[in-house]
Amino acid sequence: MKSKIILEDIKIYAYHGVLPEEAIIGNHYVVNLEVHSDLEKALQSDDLKDTINYAEINDIVHQEMGIRSQLLEHVIGRIITKIENQFPQITFIKIKLTKTIPPMPGEMKGVSLEFEKESSKTTD
């Protein structure tokens, strides 16, 4: 059975970017994240230890977004690494990170980067 946990439209204010002013004034970001894992045991047990605690994933996103980086790719890489380390049972991660007011001309909803990673590990 395929199981997914999806965190949608996490809104965070952070200070990422190459331009010096981005470190001072910051920007609004939106994070969408999806993880896959076999959570079938939790269907029967009703026990948190048999699933992935999405509150902990949310905490990881907030912690890593709080560490300034020039590149959003670097932020995403840190989030993926930390989630994989904390939850080795995850078989797939997808993250979309949107900077809602990028410092460039033109009206737009934002600029997004999206990364997907499948684990090479197999689950029992």
Side-chain angles (χ1 to χ4, degrees):
M1 178 183 297
K2 183 183 249 185
S3 310
K4 299 178 184 179
I5 295 175
I6 302 168
L7 284 75
E8 297 181 85
D9 295 338
I10 305 167
K11 293 173 177 61
I12 300 173
Y13 199 85
Y15 298 87
H16 308 299
V18 175
L19 301 176
E21 57 268 25
E22 292 181 288
I24 298 166
I25 60 173
N27 210 321
H28 294 276
Y29 294 86
V30 178
V31 180
N32 286 277
L33 188 140
E34 177 180 317
V35 296
H36 298 185
S37 185
D38 182 357
L39 305 176
E40 194 167 357
K41 189 173 180 184
L43 295 174
Q44 302 300 319
S45 72
D46 195 28
D47 192 330
L48 186 59
K49 72 175 174 50
D50 292 329
T51 190
I52 293 169
N53 186 336
Y54 51 78
E56 290 180 22
I57 291 176
N58 184 57
D59 288 345
I60 290 170
V61 170
H62 278 84
Q63 288 166 10
E64 295 305 319
M65 286 294 292
I67 301 169
R68 176 167 159 64
S69 288
Q70 291 189 71
L71 301 179
L72 298 181
E73 293 89 338
H74 190 252
V75 179
I76 290 170
R78 288 196 322 264
I79 293 169
I80 289 171
T81 299
K82 196 148 189 189
I83 289 172
E84 285 179 322
N85 289 340
Q86 189 155 338
F87 301 102
Q89 69 271 41
I90 288 175
T91 58
F92 175 83
I93 300 175
K94 179 165 81 171
I95 299 177
K96 179 180 175 186
L97 176 55
T98 303
K99 182 183 284 192
T100 62
I101 309 169
M104 52 191 181
E107 189 174 325
M108 65 181 78
K109 212 173 176 180
V111 172
S112 300
L113 283 89
E114 185 173 276
F115 283 73
E116 296 181 8
K117 184 174 181 189
E118 279 193 63
S119 174
S120 56
K121 297 174 257 176
T122 57
T123 57
D124 292 315

